[in-house]
Amino acid sequence: VQLQASGGGLAQPGGSLRLSCAASERTGVTTWFRQAPGKEREFVAAIRWGTGATYYADSVKGRFTISKDRAKVTAYLQMNSLRPEDTAVYYCAARLHYTLAYYDSEQYGFWGQGTLVTVSS
């Protein structure tokens, strides 16, 4: 499975950005992780393709929305009310099957390239 992430850029605090993760084929779950400078990679949000169930890190709940377009085999991360602490390289990852440990980056074998999100005035 090949993943192509896009949509990063510069946003002001309180602004919005939408990330896309286009896959070469259907998978079981698509997840966004992020890694800020000097920090470990952390879970952001996940979506199950079969059920549509979504999962979020507490730090983004209520501000970020993960969604999918089955026809385009693309997952999206709509990021609203951005904060400077959201600045990071964002990665999309996928698994063929759902796992209860969807938040664990080591569970994923397919990764897209990172896309940089910078939130600054």
Side-chain angles (χ1 to χ4, degrees):
V1 178
Q2 295 181 342
L3 304 175
Q4 180 72 38
S6 61
L10 175 65
Q12 292 188 339
S16 300
L17 285 173
R18 189 178 80 157
L19 306 183
S20 299
C21 178
S24 58
E25 59 188 89
R26 283 188 58 182
T27 59
V29 58
T30 297
T31 301
W32 288 96
F33 293 89
R34 66 186 182 186
Q35 187 165 18
K39 294 187 177 181
E40 294 188 352
R41 190 169 298 187
E42 65 174 1
F43 166 75
V44 177
I47 187 165
R48 294 178 65 176
W49 283 84
T51 65
T54 57
Y55 310 88
Y56 297 93
D58 288 343
S59 59
V60 306
K61 202 170 294 183
R63 301 188 297 121
F64 291 10
T65 302
I66 190 170
S67 62
K68 59 180 175 63
D69 183 322
R70 189 178 297 275
K72 296 182 179 179
V73 202
T74 298
Y76 303 96
L77 185 68
Q78 178 66 43
M79 305 185 294
N80 298 329
S81 301
L82 283 164
R83 304 167 180 170
E85 54 263 40
D86 294 319
T87 296
V89 177
Y90 284 69
Y91 299 89
C92 65
R95 281 179 53 93
L96 294 180
H97 303 287
Y98 173 74
T99 173
L100 287 174
Y102 55 82
Y103 50 83
D104 182 358
S105 62
E106 294 188 1
Q107 301 296 320
Y108 292 82
F110 306 109
W111 289 85
Q113 84 289 3
T115 184
L116 177 62
V117 171
T118 303
V119 183
S120 175
S121 55

